[in-house]
């Protein structure tokens, strides 16, 4: 046995190898490397999968966030409210454009933006809310959208970790993550639930006018070649990545079901341990388990547990070890130790286990057994 990995992209590739290899060979044969036919086809197929939205591919998920903020004409000094517990890209795009990130703490159980705290953070300069569908389940979008309507704010969803998840409206209808706000932003980084073999990303919107603006911003500010109406960026998905994404998209729901089944096995076997809190799925969302993230008992030594897991050939990762407001580049006099107690606590206690599209429930059960063994070994007596 070798190390059980966090993700297994190789087995996933072997399953669809013929289609990918053939598609890549066609791209090389046709030499339309940028904006070739597969890019357009993928955008249409993903738009249909998401329930009929326009999809604008771009170079990566961080670019998608930046392009969204540019397309909404956000100006330096405008405030955007986002979660203090997230991947850095969310705040990075805001800060790069000299917009002001206003961080709010998250719900300790769902890891999502807390609408009460969002409400409290809204001020005269607030222009947008940027919910993050962290680890694979949706943020509470209905309360967030209601706040946005009440205060005339944009909503930009960071759905890099939740592609394929469904938001469950109060009336029972479903919307795909990323299609509820003004713009959804996603990433096709290889390890995401829908990943390519390099960098990739996309924006999604129901608003046709906004879609045109996004296309323009992502293409050097031009809609007619060599006519630059505004300062844009160069952010494109290439044809080879689109080939990979087109091959995987029809399997996305199956990939996500496999992840959810593995997570259910983990929950069943780990849920009874007094040393572990298993992830909870909110009643307003399905969960596509980009990560399976435990919260450890405060008295359990996380590093010792990781070492005991490594000794048993089980990978683990900490998403995320340092809160945004403690990162050197994002230090801000408005925020100090204690500003976001839930985030600070989570950063000390979270631990993510292997989860991916190839993880069988049997293998998840084996890993869960090893986790329980490791906990027994390191727990305080
Ligand atoms: C991966 C990720 C991004 C950035 O995507 P890249 O393609 O790596 O730029 C943004 N936000 C979240 C929450 C992510 O997980």
């Amino acid at each position: 046995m070798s190390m059980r990995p966090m993700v297994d992209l190789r087995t996933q590739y072997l399953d669809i190898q013929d289609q990918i290899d053939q598609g890549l060979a066609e791209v090389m044969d046709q030499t339309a490397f940028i904006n070739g036919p597969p890019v357009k086809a993928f955008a249409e197929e993903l738009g249909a999968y998401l329930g009929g939205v326009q999809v604008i591919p771009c170079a990566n998920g961080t670019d998608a966030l930046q392009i969204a903020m540019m397309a909404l004409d956000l100006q330096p000094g405008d405030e955007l409210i986002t979660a203090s517990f997230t991947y850095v890209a969310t705040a990075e795009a805001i800060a790069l454009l000299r917009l002001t990130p206003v961080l709010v703490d998250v719900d300790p159980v769902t890891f999502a933006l807390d609408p009460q705290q969002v409400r409290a953070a809204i001020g005269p300069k607030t222009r947008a809310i940027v919910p993050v569908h962290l680890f694979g389940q949706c943020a509470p979008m209905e309360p967030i959208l209601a706040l946005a309507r009440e205060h005339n704010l944009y909503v930009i969803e960071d759905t890099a970790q939740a592609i394929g998840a469904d938001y469950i409206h109060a009336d029972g209808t479903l919307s795909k993550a990323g299609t509820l706000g003004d713009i959804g932003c996603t990433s096709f980084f290889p390890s995401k639930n829908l990943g390519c073999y390099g960098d990739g990303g996309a924006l999604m919107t129901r608003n046709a006018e906004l879609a045109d603006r996004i296309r323009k911003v992502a293409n050097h500010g031009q809609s007619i070649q060599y006519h630059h109406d505004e300062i844009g960026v160069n952010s494109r998905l290439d044809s080879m990545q689109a080939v990979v994404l087109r091959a995987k998209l029809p399997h996305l729901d199956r990939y996500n079901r496999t992840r959810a089944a593995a997570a259910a096995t983990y929950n069943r076997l780990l849920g009874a341990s007094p040393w572990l809190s298993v992830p909870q799925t909110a009643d307003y969302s399905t969960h596509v388990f980009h990560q399976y993230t435990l919260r450890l008992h405060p008295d359990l030594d996380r590093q010792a547990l990781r070492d005991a897991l490594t000794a048993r050939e089980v990978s683990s990762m900490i998403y995320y070890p340092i809160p945004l407001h403690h990162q050197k580049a994002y230090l801000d006099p408005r925020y100090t130790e204690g500003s976001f107690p839930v985030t600070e606590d989570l950063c000390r206690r979270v631990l993510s286990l292997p989860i991916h599209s190839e993880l069988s429930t049997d293998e998840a059960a084996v890993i869960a057994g090893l986790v329980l063994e490791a906990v027994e070994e390191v727990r305080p007596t």
Side-chain angles (χ1 to χ4, degrees):
M1 193 68 211
S2 53
M3 202 69 188
R4 293 171 182 84
M6 294 299 287
V7 295
D8 179 1
L9 296 176
R10 182 165 171 78
T11 307
Q12 192 194 53
Y13 163 61
L14 293 175
D15 181 46
I16 48 174
Q17 180 176 15
D18 288 351
Q19 203 183 343
I20 290 183
D21 290 0
Q22 193 189 327
L24 292 179
E26 271 168 32
V27 171
M28 283 183 275
D29 190 50
Q30 293 168 356
T31 69
F33 296 114
I34 298 283
N35 279 337
V39 177
K40 200 160 181 277
F42 170 66
E44 279 167 16
E45 287 157 8
L46 182 60
Y49 169 84
L50 294 169
V53 298
Q54 299 216 30
V55 167
I56 304 95
C58 67
N60 58 68
T62 312
D63 273 12
L65 288 160
Q66 181 183 337
I67 292 163
M69 291 165 200
M70 291 171 75
L72 292 170
D73 277 324
L74 299 176
Q75 299 298 322
D78 286 353
E79 292 181 357
L80 288 82
I81 297 173
T82 194
S84 50
F85 188 59
T86 178
Y87 182 56
V88 67
T90 324
E92 187 176 38
I94 298 172
L96 195 64
L97 293 171
R98 300 274 176 262
L99 311 172
T100 305
V102 173
L103 302 181
V104 305
D105 216 345
V106 296
D107 181 285
V109 174
T110 62
F111 310 117
L113 265 189
D114 174 358
Q116 302 297 337
Q117 300 209 35
V118 173
R119 178 183 288 282
I122 295 172
K125 290 186 177 168
T126 309
R127 292 289 172 270
I129 306 172
V130 188
V132 183
H133 305 317
L134 201 70
F135 300 153
Q137 72 172 320
C138 297
M141 289 304 291
E142 275 177 321
I144 289 170
L145 291 168
L147 280 173
R149 266 192 303 274
E150 185 184 330
H151 295 273
N152 202 18
L153 308 174
Y154 294 117
V155 174
I156 302 169
E157 298 174 66
D158 181 343
T159 190
Q161 301 190 2
I163 193 131
D166 283 308
Y167 186 82
I168 306 167
H169 294 265
D171 67 5
T173 56
L174 305 178
S175 300
K176 288 283 176 208
T179 68
L180 291 107
D182 296 282
I183 303 178
C185 299
T186 201
S187 163
F188 305 122
F189 185 78
S191 62
K192 306 282 177 174
N193 291 36
L194 179 63
C196 55
Y197 292 168
D199 273 310
L203 300 96
M204 50 202 81
T205 182
R206 293 184 184 282
N207 179 328
E209 217 174 298
L210 201 47
D212 286 341
R213 184 71 195 284
I214 291 167
R215 278 187 199 97
K216 191 185 214 178
V217 170
N219 184 26
H220 298 293
Q222 65 188 342
S223 34
I224 303 168
Q225 201 175 20
Y226 305 127
H227 291 66
H228 303 280
D229 304 335
E230 62 179 303
I231 298 172
V233 297
N234 167 25
S235 189
R236 309 182 271 233
L237 186 73
D238 67 72
S239 302
M240 295 205 191
Q241 303 311 331
V243 162
V244 174
L245 293 165
R246 286 191 78 195
K248 287 192 185 186
L249 180 60
H251 303 288
L252 176 60
D253 286 342
R254 175 170 61 86
Y255 294 160
N256 284 342
R257 276 196 303 273
T258 301
R259 288 171 175 271
T265 300
Y266 281 152
N267 280 351
R268 183 166 53 78
L269 296 172
L270 301 177
S273 169
W275 301 100
L276 308 173
S277 298
V278 298
Q280 309 273 319
T281 304
D283 55 8
Y284 52 74
S285 181
T286 64
H287 203 319
V288 295
F289 287 97
H290 176 62
Q291 299 298 345
Y292 181 88
T293 302
L294 296 166
R295 284 171 296 142
L296 308 184
H297 189 287
D299 297 337
L300 200 62
D301 181 335
R302 180 168 62 178
Q303 189 52 50
L305 181 62
R306 290 196 74 193
D307 293 344
L309 288 171
T310 305
R312 289 168 174 78
E313 300 189 313
V314 175
S315 304
S316 64
M317 289 290 280
I318 298 169
Y319 303 112
Y320 296 94
I322 305 171
L324 274 178
H325 65 291
H326 294 173
Q327 298 284 357
K328 189 173 169 198
Y330 295 88
L331 291 176
D332 185 316
R334 291 173 299 166
Y335 308 131
T336 56
E337 181 76 39
S339 289
F340 306 105
V342 175
T343 294
E344 291 168 17
D345 184 54
L346 289 174
C347 289
R348 282 189 287 266
R349 288 172 50 196
V350 286
L351 189 68
S352 300
L353 296 181
I355 192 132
H356 52 80
S357 64
E358 313 305 310
L359 186 67
S360 69
T361 50
D362 285 351
E363 184 60 10
V366 171
I367 294 173
L370 294 169
V371 170
L372 292 174
E373 252 182 57
V375 168
E376 274 310 300
E377 184 179 300
V378 306
R379 72 178 173 84
T381 44

